[in-house]
Structure formats: structure tokens, C-alpha cells
Amino acid sequence: MASKKETVLTGTNPKAFVDGLHIVSDEPTADGMRSTIVVLWDIRFDPMVLPRGTEDVKTSEVDGEKHTFHRVMNSIAFPSHQNHLYINHKFFINVAQKREPWANSDWGRNPDQTYLEVDGRVPTEQEIFSIIHNFHTPLLGKIKFRIIEDDGSESYGWYQGIEANGSSIKNLPEGWSCHTSKRPEHNGLYFYKKGEVSQWEFPEV
């Protein structure tokens, strides 16, 4: 029987990750992929916005000493012995966040697209989770990822990013900007502005 896990993605807006869940299945697929990760997104919401009432700071006792923990966005640290799991980490962060020269890249934008590689590179499982969990960046579509074992052997899996409303991630038309609502009833919902005009719907060209 397949190993199937549901895990809450903590520290993020559960309205962006629908129900705050991702599902991991270790059952091999028909095309030989070892595992599948499925994430259901609602890209109308900003994944960086915390639910109202969530505490950003807490003090806990660790090994007999009190430590204060602050929530830090867009941060990841990993020990040097795990470097091989994040070999293209910066590269894929830049592609996912559409930094130059990847501003017009389609990677991770189209829920109906299959992405096998970018510039000859395939992200690791850890790099995929860093993008969506640590850097709060939506990824849509079917993306091949590498699974690197402790002994250095490799296999592959599929990440599947599904958009709850069937939308793709699009560039804003010229003159429009995107903002996040702070009103309690719309907390985290994106709205769009151009001059004095504001609206909830994504602007058409």
C-alpha cells in the first residue's frame, strides 16, 4: 500500500495553500517516478500573510535555557553536509521569483504545463520545498524533481502544483500594481491598482 502523508505547511497563509496541506505519496508512478507531491494553491491570496492573531514571537525553554524565537521571512539555513541537496538552490529561487534574466520564464506558472528541466537543471526535492515553504513562492504545473539518497544514488519524483480556480500566474499589464489587503474579512487577498482605480479581479490587458 502506498505511503501517503498530509502535512500542514506552518507559518504561511492557509488561504493560499488551500487547507494548508500538501500531500506526499511514495507510491511509484507508471512512468517510473518514485514519489509525488501535490499542493493545491489559491493564487488570489498572498502566501506570506499570516492568519490574524498568529504570534510572531515566542519564548521557549531549550536544554534548560530560555530562547526567544522570531519569525523570519525568506530565510533558510542548512548544514554544510547537506550542500549536495541544495546544489542549485539560488538558481531555482531566482527562476521561481522571476528575477532577471528569468522575468518572462514560464517555469512554475502554468498549472497545465509539465516542466522537466530549466537550463539543463532539475531541482531537488529540498529545493522545491524551500521555494514554496521557506520563500512562500507559488509553483504551478507538473515539475520533475531529484531525490538524492545518503549513499549518493538518485531517483526522481513529480511535484504537482494545482491552482484552485484554474488560473495561471500572469504578468501584470503596464501601469498596474499588486497589493495585499489587511482588512480582517479579506486578510491576505490580493487587489490591483492603477492610478485611482482599484479592483479585486486580475486586470486584463
Side-chain angles (χ1 to χ4, degrees):
M1 188 171 178
S3 169
K4 202 169 190 179
K5 299 177 289 183
E6 290 190 354
T7 307
V8 175
L9 293 167
T10 57
T12 56
N13 183 355
K15 291 182 180 179
F17 298 103
V18 178
D19 297 328
L21 294 176
H22 67 262
I23 299 173
V24 181
S25 173
D26 290 329
E27 183 178 11
T29 63
D31 53 7
M33 297 299 185
R34 201 190 84 180
S35 66
T36 304
I37 300 167
V38 179
V39 177
L40 182 59
W41 293 89
D42 188 338
I43 61 171
R44 296 175 303 168
F45 288 91
D46 184 349
M48 294 185 70
V49 173
L50 281 173
R52 293 181 66 83
T54 302
E55 293 184 7
D56 285 356
V57 181
K58 70 176 182 177
T59 301
S60 301
E61 190 169 299
V62 180
D63 297 329
E65 296 183 14
K66 284 192 173 181
H67 294 264
T68 301
F69 296 89
H70 299 260
R71 182 172 182 270
V72 179
M73 303 300 293
N74 300 342
S75 171
I76 184 171
F78 44 87
S80 58
H81 71 272
Q82 290 186 351
N83 283 347
H84 65 291
L85 302 177
Y86 298 89
I87 48 178
N88 292 307
H89 181 256
K90 186 175 182 180
F91 172 81
F92 280 106
I93 288 291
N94 288 341
V95 177
Q97 296 186 346
K98 313 305 170 196
R99 297 174 185 161
E100 293 294 343
W102 303 102
N104 296 315
S105 168
D106 182 59
W107 191 77
R109 287 190 163 202
N110 188 339
D112 301 317
Q113 182 72 34
T114 297
Y115 304 97
L116 299 176
E117 59 182 40
V118 183
D119 200 24
R121 298 180 236 199
V122 176
T124 64
E125 183 176 13
Q126 290 78 11
E127 287 166 341
I128 290 287
F129 272 102
S130 172
I131 291 168
I132 67 172
H133 196 186
N134 297 85
F135 284 79
H136 306 260
T137 304
L139 286 182
L140 302 179
K142 193 174 182 180
I143 299 173
K144 182 180 180 180
F145 65 83
R146 298 167 62 189
I147 301 167
I148 303 176
E149 307 292 354
D150 292 338
D151 62 4
S153 62
E154 290 191 18
S155 56
Y156 293 89
W158 287 121
Y159 163 90
Q160 182 76 59
I162 301 171
E163 213 289 311
N165 296 287
S167 301
S168 58
I169 300 172
K170 298 176 287 188
N171 290 328
L172 283 169
E174 187 176 352
W176 287 89
S177 58
C178 181
H179 305 269
T180 304
S181 174
K182 304 298 182 186
R183 295 172 60 181
E185 66 271 30
H186 301 128
N187 190 43
L189 183 65
Y190 284 125
F191 67 95
Y192 305 94
K193 289 186 69 176
K194 183 178 183 180
E196 298 299 316
V197 176
S198 63
Q199 62 188 50
W200 293 116
E201 297 79 18
F202 190 91
E204 298 300 325
V205 178

